Amino acid sequence: MFNPTRLKVQLKLAINRLKMLQAKRTSLNQQARREIGTLLEKGKEESARIRVEHIIRDDLLIEAMENLELYCDLLLARFGLLESYKTCEPSIAEAVNTIIWAAPRVGEVKELSLVRDQLASKFGKEFMLQAMENEDDRVNPRIVMKLQVSAPDTYLVERYLEEIARTYNVQWKSNIISHEEEEEDLEDIEDLGNDNDDNGSGGQAELLPPLQNPSPPVVPVTNNVGFDLPEIPTNSPLNKNTNTNPSLPPPPPADDFDALQRRLDALKRK
């Protein structure tokens, strides 16, 4: 019997469980990587190759759990569509089918099995069987690839070992895979660095213009060069003391001032 309240509770519990398992496995992986680095340092390559396969599977499982967590969150965000319609809406179809398919493959998350049962009650047994068999590729192919049971590729194993050795400063390189492309890239980088050294400072510094402004050119002055300048005329108005206002009469001489003074005194006596 479909119970919306129970489904919502189980989705929230599944999200919490998925987060907790991701953190736990990530911490264990870090410790296992250190141990593999120690094995490589001691020259125990075969033991390191076997143990690194567990790390690869755990990394894939952690990524799958992260995707399933997002799908559970999506169903909670669109719970109205899940509750209202009798058929599965296209906007949530991939999330529903992927959770139904992945639930038995992630046994540590028991809440996903309860979510799958509620979805089967909602959409029917036939819908659940089609999702379990992944008909028409309705399940997310990334989840299928990450949860499939198969031995990891040899190239991936060797790359993991080299990355672990580089992380923990262990001088080790795989003798199984080819490193010709990497060596060619390193040679190209070294050649480029040598070219820059031969050309001086190199780089963009040679292309930049000088910061200071160039000084103006200096024109030499010689004493033998003469300049043909016109002479100043003798009757130039600059040499004369002229009145600024030509309409005013010229100032009277000093004797006239004395005469005026005497006339004013005579007028005062009268």
Side-chain angles (χ1 to χ4, degrees):
M1 187 70 179
F2 176 67
N3 188 338
T5 304
R6 187 176 181 184
L7 176 58
K8 185 178 290 187
V9 171
Q10 294 301 326
L11 285 171
K12 292 179 180 178
L13 292 175
I15 290 174
N16 293 333
R17 179 66 64 90
L18 288 167
K19 288 181 178 179
M20 182 185 67
L21 289 175
Q22 289 176 59
K24 179 181 178 181
R25 286 186 173 273
T26 301
S27 177
L28 293 175
N29 265 2
Q30 292 294 334
Q31 183 178 355
R33 288 171 191 266
R34 294 192 193 96
E35 294 175 357
I36 291 174
T38 304
L39 291 175
L40 291 175
E41 191 174 10
K42 293 179 179 180
K44 300 179 179 181
E45 297 182 4
E46 293 302 322
S47 298
R49 286 190 177 93
I50 294 173
R51 296 191 63 174
V52 81
E53 291 188 8
H54 296 286
I55 292 180
I56 294 174
R57 291 194 186 96
D58 282 346
D59 283 348
L60 294 175
L61 181 58
I62 290 171
E63 293 176 3
M65 286 181 177
E66 184 179 358
N67 291 336
L68 291 173
E69 178 191 342
L70 293 176
Y71 279 140
C72 292
D73 201 7
L74 177 65
L75 292 183
L76 283 175
R78 301 178 181 177
F79 197 80
L81 297 175
L82 186 64
E83 186 178 8
S84 302
Y85 293 91
K86 293 182 179 181
T87 58
C88 185
E89 283 293 304
S91 60
I92 59 173
E94 184 178 276
V96 171
N97 285 283
T98 301
I99 290 175
I100 292 175
W101 183 88
R105 293 169 173 82
V106 188
E108 295 178 88
V109 189
K110 298 178 180 180
E111 291 81 2
L112 284 181
S113 297
L114 299 176
V115 171
R116 180 195 61 183
D117 295 340
Q118 287 294 317
L119 294 174
S121 300
K122 173 66 178 177
F123 300 115
K125 186 177 180 180
E126 183 179 357
F127 180 89
M128 185 187 71
L129 292 176
Q130 291 175 350
M132 293 291 295
E133 296 175 1
N134 193 16
E135 291 185 4
D136 302 326
D137 296 329
R138 59 182 64 194
V139 180
N140 189 331
R142 294 183 179 179
I143 301 293
V144 175
M145 184 270 296
K146 291 171 183 176
L147 293 180
Q148 65 183 357
V149 181
S150 61
D153 184 65
T154 303
Y155 180 84
L156 183 61
V157 171
E158 298 301 312
R159 283 300 188 188
Y160 256 77
L161 290 175
E162 288 185 349
E163 185 62 30
I164 291 172
R166 187 181 300 109
T167 301
Y168 295 101
N169 297 322
V170 178
Q171 299 298 325
W172 184 87
K173 272 195 175 183
S174 173
N175 55 4
I176 297 178
I177 59 177
S178 175
H179 299 84
E180 293 180 358
E181 295 181 359
E182 294 182 359
E183 292 176 357
E184 290 177 358
D185 293 339
L186 290 175
E187 290 178 358
D188 293 340
I189 293 173
E190 291 177 357
D191 293 340
L192 182 60
N194 294 333
D195 293 341
N196 290 337
D197 293 338
D198 294 339
N199 294 331
S201 58
Q204 296 181 354
E206 296 179 356
L207 303 178
L208 296 175
L211 296 178
Q212 66 273 12
N213 294 325
S215 57
V218 179
V219 179
V221 179
T222 58
N223 297 327
N224 296 328
V225 179
F227 297 93
D228 189 10
L229 297 176
E231 296 182 356
I232 299 175
T234 56
N235 57 352
S236 173
L238 296 175
N239 297 329
K240 298 180 180 181
N241 294 325
T242 57
N243 271 332
T244 56
N245 193 347
S247 60
L248 296 177
D255 297 338
D256 294 341
F257 283 112
D258 295 336
L260 288 174
Q261 186 63 38
R262 288 193 297 270
R263 291 179 60 184
L264 287 173
D265 293 339
L267 291 172
K268 288 179 181 180
R269 293 190 193 100
K270 293 180 178 179

